[in-house]
């Protein structure tokens, strides 16, 4: 087991089991990370499984020798929010684009995670300074907006707010690069 600043280096929390969350989970799992997936929708596992096979087929077009078993074994579905927060180096949030829902979720994630766990939003237009308004440890909040879909187009734009620490930005860029994403830093929200 690899550790990074006291965290299990291979554990990523995924919030949201829709198309983007499933794509992130597969992308991280394909790179050797373990993706723990949480969604409060009672049909989330069924929905994830609907996307999963189609998303794997996308990867097979790019790489016919993809290791499906490795990917499947590296994804843990039907996790509680507490399970995805425990000893996790990064939480990749991909819920609906609703500011109030994201703020509530981030408040919960802030309470349940270590103060050094990175909280990353996939939001395409809500800025992290607004999403993290209710968060006590704002220094670890970033926006990590992927190219779509993230498992096929391994590119992510990373930005923080004025409260985000440079150490967290660098740590996030490093994690995304280890997960085989081309991560670029944006200087403005």
């Amino acid at each position: 087991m690899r550790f990074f600043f006291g965290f299990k280096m291979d554990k990523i929390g995924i919030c949201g089991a829709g198309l983007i969350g499933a794509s992130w989970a597969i992308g991280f799992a394909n790179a050797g990370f373990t993706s723990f997936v949480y969604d409060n929708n009672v049909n989330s596992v069924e929905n994830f499984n609907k996307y999963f096979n189609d998303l794997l087929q996308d990867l097979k077009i790019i790489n016919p020798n993809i290791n499906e078993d490795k990917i499947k074994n590296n994804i843990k579905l039907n996790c509680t929010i507490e399970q995805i927060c425990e000893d996790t180096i990064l939480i990749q949030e991909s819920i609906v684009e609703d500011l109030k829902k994201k703020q509530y979720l981030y408040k919960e994630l802030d309470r349940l995670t270590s103060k050094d766990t990175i909280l990353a939003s996939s939001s395409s237009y809500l800025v992290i300074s607004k999403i993290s308004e209710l968060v006590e440890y704002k220094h670890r909040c970033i926006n990590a907006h992927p190219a779509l879909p993230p498992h096929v187009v391994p590119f992510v734009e990373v930005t923080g707010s004025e409260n985000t620490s440079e150490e967290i930005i660098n740590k996030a860029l490093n994690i995304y690069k280890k997960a085989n994403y081309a991560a670029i830093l944006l200087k403005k929200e």
Side-chain angles (χ1 to χ4, degrees), residues 69-116:
D69 290 334
K70 176 181 97 172
I71 294 171
K72 288 177 182 177
N73 290 333
N74 284 343
I75 297 175
K76 309 301 179 204
L77 294 176
N78 208 23
C79 297
T80 65
I81 193 168
E82 292 83 6
Q83 288 171 320
I84 71 161
C85 290
E86 185 181 353
D87 296 327
T88 302
I89 192 166
L90 181 141
I91 305 278
Q92 186 70 51
E93 169 269 310
S94 301
I95 68 167
V96 65
E97 293 284 296
D98 179 304
L99 181 60
K100 295 291 183 202
K101 287 181 181 178
K102 285 185 186 280
Q103 287 176 329
Y104 175 77
L105 176 63
Y106 271 68
K107 186 176 179 180
E108 277 298 289
L109 294 173
D110 189 45
R111 183 179 67 79
L112 294 169
T113 57
S114 159
K115 66 180 174 62
D116 293 316

Side-chain angles (χ1 to χ4, degrees), residues 18-55:
L19 181 60
I20 303 304
S23 186
W24 275 118
I26 289 169
F28 280 114
N30 189 37
F33 289 84
T34 304
S35 298
F36 286 73
V37 182
Y38 161 76
D39 195 307
N40 63 2
N41 181 333
V42 295
N43 298 318
S44 65
V45 172
E46 180 182 328
N47 292 339
F48 187 97
N49 286 329
K50 283 181 194 174
Y51 296 128
F52 185 79
N53 289 328
D54 289 340
L55 297 176

Side-chain angles (χ1 to χ4, degrees), residues 4 9 33 169-179 183:
F4 187 70
M9 181 59 188
F33 289 84
I169 291 285
N170 291 330
K171 188 170 136 181
L173 290 169
N174 188 34
I175 292 166
Y176 289 114
K177 288 176 184 172
K178 286 182 186 216

Side-chain angles (χ1 to χ4, degrees), residues 1-28:
M1 181 73 53
R2 299 169 295 154
F3 286 87
F4 187 70
F5 293 106
F7 297 97
K8 293 177 183 172
M9 181 59 188
D10 67 343
K11 185 176 178 184
I12 301 290
I14 305 289
C15 254
L19 181 60
I20 303 304
S23 186
W24 275 118
I26 289 169
F28 280 114

Side-chain angles (χ1 to χ4, degrees), residues 4-5 89-90 115-121 128 138-145 156-178 183-189:
F4 187 70
F5 293 106
I89 192 166
L90 181 141
K115 66 180 174 62
D116 293 316
T117 298
I118 299 169
L119 303 180
S121 178
I128 199 62
K138 292 175 175 53
H139 73 282
R140 66 312 213 339
C141 297
I142 64 169
N143 189 296
H145 180 257
V156 60
E157 301 168 327
V158 176
T159 188
S161 71
E162 64 182 28
N163 297 309
T164 308
S165 79
E166 188 175 330
E167 178 185 7
I168 289 293
I169 291 285
N170 291 330
K171 188 170 136 181
L173 290 169
N174 188 34
I175 292 166
Y176 289 114
K177 288 176 184 172
K178 286 182 186 216
I184 64 159
L185 176 62
L186 302 179
K187 297 292 185 180
K188 185 177 178 185
E189 279 190 279

